[in-house]
Structures are given as structure tokens and as C-alpha cells.
Amino acid sequence: MAFATDEDREELMNGPEWPVFIDPAVYLAQMGDIRDNGYATSYEEREPGAAAVSVPIMDRRGNIAAALSVSGPVSRLSQETLHEYAPVLKDAATQMGLMLS
């Protein structure tokens, strides 16, 4: 959602399935950080023992076409390692995006 349109984010946040325990202001701030960095990390947030770093793959028009992610056990992917992998993934995602029409 960090790279989605403002309208899509608003629709999500105002929808009936929005979790009441998630503060919209905190969520928007996190999405802004992800956009600024160009990637997102997850360290045992969705699954205990799992870590991941993800980047968007944008088509030539700047629309999200897909995502590229590396994930694995936290024993092999420290938070520092996730941030080290991010530039490599961003470069790969850029190259993939150039292959899209």
C-alpha cells in the first residue's frame, strides 16, 4: 500500500475491514517511510521466526506491477542484513520494470 495511490489507501483505511487497533496516522507515517526508503522490511511481524525485505516492481508508467521479496529465517536474516539486501533488490526491480511494457 505504500506505493499505491492516495485513493486506494483511503479506500482501505475507510473500509469495513480496517483493523480498529491500527492507528491511521501511524500507518500513514509507516507508508511514507517505506516510500521514502523504496522498500519495506518485516522482522517477525507477520510470522514468528521469519524476516523479509520487499521492493515494488514498477512498470514504465510508474504503476505497481509486482513485488520482489527475499525472505527467510531470522537466524539468517538479521535486520542489518535486510537493509543490506534492499539496494540489490531495488536495482533488480528497476531492471525488471524496464522489461515490462
Side-chain angles (χ1 to χ4, degrees):
M1 290 307 296
F3 298 94
T5 64
D6 291 339
E7 293 81 22
D8 287 342
R9 268 191 301 282
E10 287 295 320
E11 183 178 334
L12 171 72
M13 294 171 61
N14 293 319
E17 295 182 11
W18 180 259
V20 295
F21 58 87
I22 296 179
D23 181 332
V26 172
Y27 176 79
L28 289 174
Q30 289 174 335
M31 295 301 104
D33 290 344
I34 292 167
R35 272 192 315 278
D36 291 346
N37 292 330
Y39 65 94
T41 61
S42 174
Y43 198 80
E44 295 192 295
E45 292 174 30
R46 297 186 53 91
E47 184 72 33
V53 58
S54 301
V55 299
I57 298 174
M58 308 293 231
D59 65 18
R60 291 176 186 254
R61 291 169 290 194
N63 299 315
I64 297 173
L68 179 61
S69 180
V70 170
S71 62
V74 295
S75 62
R76 292 186 172 205
L77 293 174
S78 68
Q79 291 185 13
E80 181 179 289
T81 302
L82 295 175
H83 294 287
E84 289 172 1
Y85 285 176
V88 176
L89 288 175
K90 288 169 61 174
D91 289 343
T94 298
Q95 292 302 312
M96 291 176 183
L98 293 173
M99 292 182 224
L100 301 173
S101 54

